[in-house]
Amino acid sequence: MNGGFVGSHDHAGLANSERIDNVDGTRSARRDCGTCGAALGFWRPVGLDMPTVQFPRTNKSRAGQGAGTKAMDIIDRIRSEYLYLTGALRTLKRVTAIAKASTRTISDAFDDLEDSFGPRLALLNETESLTFHALNQRANQYARWAMAEGVQKGETVALFMHNRPEYLAIWLGIVRMGGVVALINTNLAGKSLAHCINIVSPRHVIVGAGLDEALETAAPHLTGEHVIWSSGNGSSGGRSLDSAIAPLDGQRLPAAERPALTINDRCLYIYTSGTTGLPKAANINHYRVQAIMNGFSAATQASAEDRMYNCLPLYHSAGGLIATGSVLTVGGSCVIRERFSARQFWDDVVSNDCTMFQYIGELCRYLVNSPTHPNETKHKIRLCNGNGLRPDIWLDFKTRFKLPNILEWYAATEGNAVFFNFDEKPGAVGRIPKWAERRFVTEVVKYDIESETQLRDQNGFCIKCEPNEVGEVISKIIDDPSKPSQRFEGYSDDAASEKKILRDVFEKGDAWFTTGDLMRKDELGYFYFIDRIGDTFRWKGENVATSEVSEAITVFPGIKEANVYGVHVPGHDGRAGMAALTTDGEIDCAGLYAHVRAQLPDYARPIFLRILSAMDITGTFKIKKIDLVKEGFNPTTIEDRIYVADDAAGAYVPMTAEAYKAIETGAMRF
């Protein structure tokens, strides 16, 4: 017995021995379990413990259900352990090999892909397509452009462009010459956009078609000197990047012209709000780019015959690395759409013969809430993968659209906590089985919401949560090629990196990454997401930093203080923005509405306002928001005035009982 479980299956019925090659070049015996078929020969070289299958202890109510139910439980648990064992093995095999090849960068990887899959289609959208050969040639042209412009190893180029195949060619070429490409969120404008550009100090800024005006709003707030380049039809500002690369050679650069790079050299900046304020630029080195692409490719069992449908933004890791890399690394192709459209989704999937698609939870809910589409079950999808699929729509999503397999996972762009839901347990974001805990070192620790700190014992160490107790997920920081998933590369700002590191957690000198996510972990190792902590909430697939929203609101005439937080809205994923305000007299509701639209991207604009007579603060002068979050926006239970954004009126208007009921029932949506 182990941890309160009985009925362990220890793979005693071994058979079918053979010799297999390990990722480190050694050879070992492969043995298959005669009972469940689990492959047992791989786990020793990659550091996994001998797997056992655990079952919840039988209680009295279950005992009376007979041998049939018990047999089904055993079969389900064996199947689950097999899926997690094989999933972990194939993922670790790909990722560990990357960690051990220290001089093989993402550029080398795409050279090899061109050699293997040259004429096969790699990337396509409605108007353009690139084979593996054309993609790599295009990247070589951008590499020569970077060299001609004097981009040195470690220098930054900002890429501000909508989704299109050219996007990958641009950053692949620049990083080939040692440059670092900052992938800028195309929803940003004004100060938010300027902040993301300023913190990475780029020498060049590449602006895609349709984004000139957004960049102009940021111009007054930009610091430093940089050259603006325009790319794509309809882009008018700056120098023409298309003209600059047109005459350049697309053949591979001689080794003498390429800088010496390793997998530890910086490759990309991908922005994340995290839980501590304004967006931060996460360091994504050549190792991490390859690990993300190959790890998820292995997890999804992608092949050259797969075609991924990707309508997620290429500036995020899910759309830009996971969706694209999962298929490209094995010779498959990726269909890129500029943005998600529920109306067009199934038409695109069917017409392009897609076999996989990448999701976020909000995308799934939009599809479930959409009217029946004639093509929604005529697809060839074999698997979809992503994060944020909530339990209340999981089964509807799977059955309505006849999806054979769903791979839910948990990860963060800059984080080192990664787990997969290989056996499709509804509601779970992933699982770390007992036998894998030495390799994936992640814990759930007690967390005090009110003080926003991890609780510690009398010796000053953090306290692990009991099974099913809610706490913060943390993951140990380890720089060891045998544990590649445990690395933490940090941000462009060292101070921001340090804020995400928790020290002296279970022993003096250890260091752990703080995810900022509250979860519970059950007895079998399944993790269930509860909520975000700190000053960030998620809405419309984006993280919203409350401090940034507060700053934008408080400059409006008549507003003294703004306390911004997220509130749950029935039928919506994430939390909608709400701002509790103290004011100097009456405010101009139409003017504030226009101000918010001009200053903030759509996902960050508060939907609800609450007017307070005074702001409630803690003894340490922190604004309280826990009670405000709980109270929500119900005008029948809150004495303060509540307002809701009304797009038709172009103003914030008083929240009525009728409007609240419409929101509660789903008749009014956002």
Side-chain angles (χ1 to χ4, degrees), residues 110 123 135 139 159 164-173 293 314 319-320 324-325 328 336:
F110 271 82
L123 301 170
L135 172 60
L159 180 58
R164 53 183 294 222
E166 195 80 0
Y167 193 101
L168 268 77
I170 291 174
W171 74 251
L172 280 169
M293 288 182 166
L314 294 176
T324 54
L328 292 181
I336 297 174

Side-chain angles (χ1 to χ4, degrees), residues 130-146:
L130 293 171
T131 64
F132 281 90
H133 177 65
L135 172 60
N136 213 37
Q137 280 207 324
R138 196 71 166 160
N140 289 331
Q141 288 180 287
Y142 284 109
R144 286 187 166 88
W145 168 82

Side-chain angles (χ1 to χ4, degrees), residues 31 39-51 85 89 435:
R31 299 177 297 168
L40 305 177
F42 291 134
W43 47 267
R44 286 301 184 197
V46 295
L48 299 175
D49 290 330
M50 179 71 168
L85 177 61
L89 291 175
W435 45 264

Side-chain angles (χ1 to χ4, degrees), residues 38 88 96 151 153 166 178 180 223 242 252 300 533 650 657:
T96 303
V151 175
K153 178 179 176 180
E166 195 80 0
V180 183
T223 59
D242 298 337
R252 293 184 190 176
T300 59
I533 57 179

Side-chain angles (χ1 to χ4, degrees), residues 534-597:
D535 292 329
T536 299
F537 60 91
R538 191 167 178 83
W539 181 245
K540 294 187 176 181
E542 299 282 353
N543 288 334
V544 181
T546 59
S547 59
E548 181 181 6
V549 180
S550 295
E551 290 173 5
I553 293 175
T554 52
V555 298
F556 186 78
I559 294 180
K560 296 162 61 179
E561 297 173 290
N563 181 7
V564 177
Y565 48 96
V567 293
H568 175 68
V569 179
H572 293 70
D573 282 335
R575 294 181 181 271
M578 186 166 184
L581 310 175
T582 59
T583 65
D584 186 10
E586 294 295 321
I587 60 171
D588 177 3
C589 291
L592 178 57
Y593 176 90
H595 172 78
V596 166
R597 284 184 63 86

Side-chain angles (χ1 to χ4, degrees), residues 6-13 33-38 51-55 74 78:
V6 295
S8 292
H9 163 60
D10 61 3
H11 306 280
C33 174
T35 303
C36 70
T52 60
V53 182
Q54 300 176 323
F55 311 100
I74 292 173
I78 291 174

Side-chain angles (χ1 to χ4, degrees), residues 45-48 92 96 436-441 482-486:
V46 295
L48 299 175
L92 284 170
T96 303
E437 288 181 350
R438 285 197 309 141
R439 176 51 63 97
F440 304 98
V441 191
S482 69
K483 294 183 174 66
S485 66
Q486 299 297 140

